[in-house]
Amino acid sequence: MAYLKFRADQLFTGSEMLGSDHVLLCRPDGIIEGILPISEAGDGIRSLRGILSPGFINCHCHLELSHLKGMIPEQTGMIQFLLDVTGQRNVERERIEEAIEEAEKEMLKNGIVAAGDICNTSDTLFQKKKKKLAYHNFIEVIGFIEQTAGKRFALALEVYEQFRLAHQDHG
């Protein structure tokens, strides 16, 4: 297999910056194979100016709320924000799914390869099963009324179980 080889002024590994004496080794399909010292990389190295980063991680997103992009006013405070989200989150399933798919495309276009997604529903499972990005799903439980805490927790457990089963079925 012929590998693609890249070097730059700096190479960000996700935890440290390496200098131009390292080469990023990729398969032709873009899958990263590793990082080598330039002395071990051989010929055919493409040199780039700047910082080379194999991928970014979106550490906190709410993919299931993608259909709300641009609909919630900024700087209104947490209480108003939560009221706006809960008041506008339930729309047609088709619109939610289209927005989720578009949001993932935007992340990929911007170099994001993994995301930590905050989930209140299982609405994103259809997209995540396509495995275009790596996701770590955080099931969120939120509420302010003590009398509904048990119900909210039970709903979160149902969402968790759907994710667990989907992960079990699709690896």
Side-chain angles (χ1 to χ4, degrees):
M1 171 185 299
Y3 290 106
L4 302 174
K5 301 172 188 178
F6 302 95
R7 74 184 274 208
D9 299 325
Q10 292 184 301
L11 173 60
F12 182 60
T13 68
S15 60
E16 66 180 321
M17 294 293 254
L18 302 175
S20 62
D21 56 341
H22 285 82
V23 173
L24 181 69
L25 189 65
C26 300
R27 294 190 329 211
D29 62 2
I31 301 295
I32 306 295
E33 284 292 325
I35 297 172
L36 301 171
I38 196 165
S39 61
E40 297 174 20
D43 297 328
I45 300 169
R46 182 173 170 200
S47 294
L48 305 167
R49 296 197 62 207
I51 299 171
L52 182 60
S53 179
F56 296 104
I57 298 172
N58 179 341
C59 297
H60 183 131
C61 71
H62 295 262
L63 191 59
E64 69 190 35
L65 299 177
S66 298
H67 64 284
L68 296 177
K69 183 178 180 181
M71 295 178 58
I72 308 238
E74 294 182 18
Q75 300 181 351
T76 60
M78 182 59 85
I79 300 299
Q80 187 59 51
F81 171 77
L82 293 172
L83 289 170
D84 288 343
V85 168
T86 56
Q88 298 181 51
R89 75 178 297 146
N90 297 317
V91 297
E92 307 83 37
R93 179 95 182 144
E94 182 178 297
R95 183 171 159 207
I96 290 172
E97 290 180 358
E98 287 173 1
I100 288 168
E101 190 171 1
E102 285 303 310
E104 187 181 78
K105 283 180 187 175
E106 186 175 338
M107 283 194 281
L108 286 164
K109 178 182 160 207
N110 287 298
I112 294 171
V113 297
D117 191 25
I118 313 304
C119 308
N120 295 100
T121 70
S122 59
D123 289 352
T124 58
L125 277 175
F126 80 96
Q127 189 66 34
K128 291 172 179 174
K129 288 178 181 177
K130 298 175 185 177
K131 295 187 178 202
K132 294 181 179 181
L133 284 179
Y135 286 96
H136 190 90
N137 303 293
F138 299 92
I139 309 305
E140 180 178 57
V141 183
I142 189 167
F144 303 99
I145 303 168
E146 187 176 337
Q147 295 82 349
T148 62
K151 181 180 178 184
R152 287 189 172 278
F153 190 72
L155 289 172
L157 284 175
E158 287 178 28
V159 172
Y160 165 78
E161 187 64 12
Q162 291 173 338
F163 275 89
R164 187 187 70 75
L165 291 172
H167 181 72
Q168 181 179 2
D169 293 342
H170 293 82

